[in-house]
Amino acid sequence: MISFFFLIIYLGPMVLMMIVLCVQIKCFHEIITIGYSVYHSYHLPWFRTLSWYFLLCVNYFFYGETVTDYFFTLVQREEPLRILSKYHRFISFALYLTGFCMFVLSLVKKHYRLQFYMFGWTHVTLLIVVTQSHLIIHNLFEGMIWFIVPISCVICNDIMAYMFGFFFGRTPLIKVGSWLSETVFSSQLSYVMAGYRYFVCPVEFNNDSNSFQVDCEPPELFQLQDYALPSVLESLTGWPTVRLYPFQIHSIALSAFASIMGPFGGFFASGFKRAFKIKDFANTIPGHGGIMDRFDCQYLMATFVNVYIASFIRGPNPSKVIQQLLALRPDQQLHIFNSLKAHLTEKGLLPALEEAAA
């Protein structure tokens, strides 16, 4: 499995995206199947078909939003994609509305309550599985390091908690030891990966090569910087400064969440299984249960990473702004140019720029 993991990383982010989609579909299938068996709903008219139809609708919406957001240049270049992008949300709503109407038309008097149970079951499953897997893909497109490090943190936390529990028994040392081990591991993994553009650069579409690429000038987050040590640590180590990637500091927050809050995803999944008196979500992996049994903590971790990036990392993206400006009509572009010129002149920046150019 480790060799397979390294192979898919080597194949690149687009292959990883397809694997995330496959995992999402399988997790959805496992949870929906539990609903069918628990509520004995195999005889409900059209409901299995509608469940998969809603999955298709939600994926169409999320993937369409992602493509428009991250690959705006490609969308504007291709006429069919441009039209689909322009009316994407209307099309998505129309698709969902069709499914909603099909559900209403399929209602049978003697199955009303059961049908609404399963309608709610399907939508909660979409919220838990599809929405969070979509966030995983967003993290991936920001740079593979945002995908690999969080996943590795969760895996390392599970392994180290088992190791400390095996050697020291059920003591608070399990949590402390696993967190410290995980912090050291994530910091070292981040140090190695931050030195490679393949891992830190976002996925972009290159018009010249007509392909997706992972290449950029690494931002400050992935450039080595000197940090002054507190006097206590300086006296202990003899080092006045340490040279780190800023991302290594952020990896401490990721490892802390994986150690403290990540297990709650597993607790939630365990409570769900106990509520319906089942041991595993499925038997897809012999001895390990279903795919959902392996990814219960990963979904919660992915949501945190996406919120963390949006809150503390991502800033205004000049390249996306320029792409959107180029898609405007000439008169709109001219209006924005004049407004920007007046703003820079008012701030006293434009004369300085003109003198520098002269």
Side-chain angles (χ1 to χ4, degrees), residues 133-191:
S133 66
H134 168 70
L135 298 181
I136 294 177
I137 293 172
H138 265 218
N139 300 341
L140 175 62
F141 283 172
E142 292 291 333
M144 282 201 289
I145 195 169
W146 292 106
F147 173 83
I148 298 172
V149 171
I151 285 180
S152 301
C153 284
V154 174
I155 295 173
C156 179
N157 181 66
D158 290 344
I159 293 173
M160 297 313 299
Y162 172 80
M163 296 294 292
F164 276 88
F166 180 82
F167 287 106
F168 300 103
R170 290 184 173 274
T171 67
L173 185 62
I174 295 177
K175 297 180 180 179
V176 176
S178 62
W179 176 71
L180 290 175
S181 302
E182 183 185 346
T183 301
V184 173
F185 168 78
S186 63
S187 177
Q188 295 304 308
L189 178 63
S190 299
Y191 182 85

Side-chain angles (χ1 to χ4, degrees), residues 29-58:
H29 172 258
E30 290 176 357
I31 298 177
I32 288 297
T33 300
I34 292 173
Y36 289 142
S37 61
V38 167
Y39 291 110
H40 306 289
S41 55
Y42 296 103
H43 56 284
L44 290 182
W46 289 98
F47 213 89
R48 185 180 292 271
T49 302
L50 283 174
S51 296
W52 288 101
Y53 177 80
F54 282 127
L55 176 66
L56 176 65
C57 292
V58 174

Side-chain angles (χ1 to χ4, degrees), residues 26-99:
K26 182 56 181 172
C27 289
F28 180 83
H29 172 258
E30 290 176 357
I31 298 177
I32 288 297
T33 300
I34 292 173
Y36 289 142
S37 61
V38 167
Y39 291 110
H40 306 289
S41 55
Y42 296 103
H43 56 284
L44 290 182
W46 289 98
F47 213 89
R48 185 180 292 271
T49 302
L50 283 174
S51 296
W52 288 101
Y53 177 80
F54 282 127
L55 176 66
L56 176 65
C57 292
V58 174
N59 271 310
Y60 175 81
F61 171 75
F62 279 134
Y63 276 90
E65 292 285 309
T66 301
V67 169
T68 302
D69 186 32
Y70 283 91
F71 309 120
F72 185 80
T73 304
L74 173 63
V75 170
Q76 292 300 313
R77 195 186 69 175
E78 302 293 337
E79 183 66 17
L81 290 178
R82 190 179 64 80
I83 295 174
L84 287 174
S85 174
K86 182 177 180 180
Y87 302 106
H88 173 68
R89 296 193 177 185
F90 180 81
I91 295 172
S92 300
F93 176 74
L95 289 172
Y96 179 83
L97 188 62
T98 301

Side-chain angles (χ1 to χ4, degrees), residues 10-25:
Y10 172 77
L11 293 175
M14 304 311 291
V15 174
L16 281 171
M17 181 189 73
M18 297 305 299
I19 291 176
V20 170
L21 176 61
C22 292
V23 169
Q24 173 217 113
I25 293 173

Side-chain angles (χ1 to χ4, degrees), residues 142 309-310 312-318 320:
E142 292 291 333
I309 293 173
F312 304 108
I313 304 299
R314 186 188 296 127
N317 191 329
K320 287 186 178 180

